[in-house]
Amino acid sequence: MSTNLFVRCLSTFLALSTVACLSPRSGEGTGGTNGEGGSGGTGGKVGSGGTIGTGGTIGTGGSTGTGGGTGGTAGGQGGKGGLGGAGGVGGAAGHAGAGGAGGHAGASATGGTNGSGGTNGSGGTNGSVMHPPPVTNGMSGWASRYWDCCKPACGWKGNVSHGSPMKSCDKSDNVLSDVDATNACQSGGSAYMCWSGVPWEADDTLSYGFAAASAGNYACGRCYQIQFTGTNNMNGDKMGTPALNGKTMIVQVINNGGVQATQFDLLIPGGGVGALNACSSQWGSSVDLGTQYGGWLSECNGSASCVQQKCQSAFSDKPDLMDGCNWFLGWFGASNNPDFTYQKIACPSALTQKSGLSDPG
């Protein structure tokens, strides 16, 4: 067993994870341009056709639809804007061009032709994010949270079935070239969890992140799609959890611990150090780490404003970790141990490129 295979307490404040096949979401086209107006009484110009809206893309990139038809031809009358061409496949149609200034509107222009469809792309920013289909016949589970600053279990060669182990960082968050560097959770160790391990949102309903798991769910580099149900694992405590209903998170397993078989311990800054603690040596012993299990949210009795103050105090000079705090308070709704349904899926490149871990299948 690796020196980093630590055991986490089975607290109500433990883990989460997700992954999925992604389906496209298209962007919206913009409106067509105004037709040019003719001057009154002297023979107006032909109004130019309205341009179509930009074709929505699936993933990244996509062809723009072709232009709309020409405007009316009546002399001495302002040209009427061409009808907006239909959007590209997956994109919304452009609005019709407005009538030209001066004189009466000319004859209606002919409609623009349909734009060509966008090409498939990889997941990324809003408007081009690849979404997985909903979880069907998934397992029921729940998510806790932690951030102990320790080198993850999947940072050791012996715990990775194929490919390279996950990179670790030094005290100042510089990536270490030595994958065998001793875990900072051991005496004299210098290898910490890299701050790039914070969760992040792709859009309002999809996020990515990393997690610890156990039993059959623990396999370094494996990904899971988790779909939140709006309930949680706490008796009578629904603080922030309903806002997660229907949202999806894709997580990659990078660590193990003494969590339940259907529990995923999400890696979230300020989520509690659990059984081990390298944060005091990395961030300084004066930093308030919150309760051991549950971190700042538990110490703040569920108050999001209190957690925000602690984030700012601890991470004002650590923007990556501050981003992780803001994600927890924003997209995640400061939820406490939310329930979800989950299933194993192929890892998206958004996760494997960041962790360096291959998907073991």
Side-chain angles (χ1 to χ4, degrees):
M1 174 118 8
S2 161
T3 55
N4 191 46
L5 300 180
F6 58 86
V7 175
R8 265 180 240 300
C9 193
L10 294 182
S11 128
T12 56
F13 299 103
L14 294 174
L16 146 67
S17 72
T18 85
V19 171
C21 282
L22 309 175
S23 67
R25 290 179 58 180
S26 61
E28 295 183 354
T30 57
T33 58
N34 293 339
E36 296 178 3
S39 59
T42 59
K45 294 170 60 178
V46 175
S48 61
T51 61
I52 67 159
T54 303
T57 61
I58 301 172
T60 58
S63 302
T64 301
T66 59
T70 60
T73 59
Q77 298 172 345
K80 182 175 181 179
L83 297 177
V89 175
H95 299 296
H104 300 290
S108 297
T110 57
T113 60
N114 289 337
S116 58
T119 58
N120 287 334
S122 59
T125 59
N126 292 349
S128 60
V129 175
M130 299 290 285
H131 278 244
V135 172
T136 57
N137 300 318
M139 297 283 290
S140 295
W142 63 284
S144 52
R145 60 191 178 274
Y146 84 101
W147 188 288
D148 57 13
C149 299
C150 302
K151 177 179 179 177
C154 298
W156 299 98
K157 296 176 183 177
N159 296 332
V160 178
S161 61
H162 68 280
S164 301
M166 187 174 185
K167 295 286 188 180
S168 298
C169 287
D170 65 14
K171 190 173 183 178
S172 298
D173 197 44
N174 299 304
V175 176
L176 294 171
S177 58
D178 181 10
V179 296
D180 294 321
T182 303
N183 188 351
C185 281
Q186 295 178 255
S187 177
S190 60
Y192 296 86
M193 179 69 212
C194 294
W195 299 345
S196 59
V198 299
W200 75 100
E201 67 178 84
D203 63 18
D204 290 345
T205 59
L206 177 66
S207 279
Y208 298 102
F210 302 99
S214 67
N217 290 332
Y218 170 61
C220 286
R222 182 179 291 168
C223 290
Y224 292 88
Q225 174 184 346
I226 58 178
Q227 187 170 297
F228 297 102
T229 62
T231 62
N232 68 5
N233 197 253
M234 302 295 293
N235 293 330
D237 178 8
K238 303 297 182 183
M239 178 121 10
T241 302
L244 274 179
N245 188 28
K247 289 186 177 183
T248 297
M249 191 171 182
I250 300 174
V251 298
Q252 185 175 41
V253 174
I254 62 166
N255 218 337
N256 69 348
V259 298
Q260 296 175 10
T262 59
Q263 177 186 358
F264 289 91
D265 208 8
L266 298 181
L267 190 63
I268 301 173
V273 297
L276 300 172
N277 174 22
C279 295
S280 293
S281 64
Q282 185 178 29
W283 302 340
S285 58
S286 63
V287 174
D288 175 13
L289 300 176
T291 60
Q292 183 177 5
Y293 298 99
W296 291 328
L297 187 66
S298 297
E299 183 178 65
C300 290
N301 294 317
S303 169
S305 61
C306 171
V307 174
Q308 180 69 36
Q309 290 174 359
K310 291 182 180 296
C311 285
Q312 292 174 341
S313 176
F315 303 143
S316 60
D317 60 344
K318 301 174 180 64
D320 288 340
L321 296 176
M322 190 67 209
D323 286 345
C325 265
N326 289 333
W327 174 90
F328 175 70
L329 294 168
W331 191 94
F332 202 67
S335 300
N336 191 20
N337 295 6
D339 295 323
F340 53 75
T341 56
Y342 72 96
Q343 63 186 13
K344 181 172 73 73
I345 65 169
C347 289
S349 60
L351 285 167
T352 56
Q353 289 177 1
K354 182 166 284 195
S355 69
L357 288 171
S358 300
D359 185 347

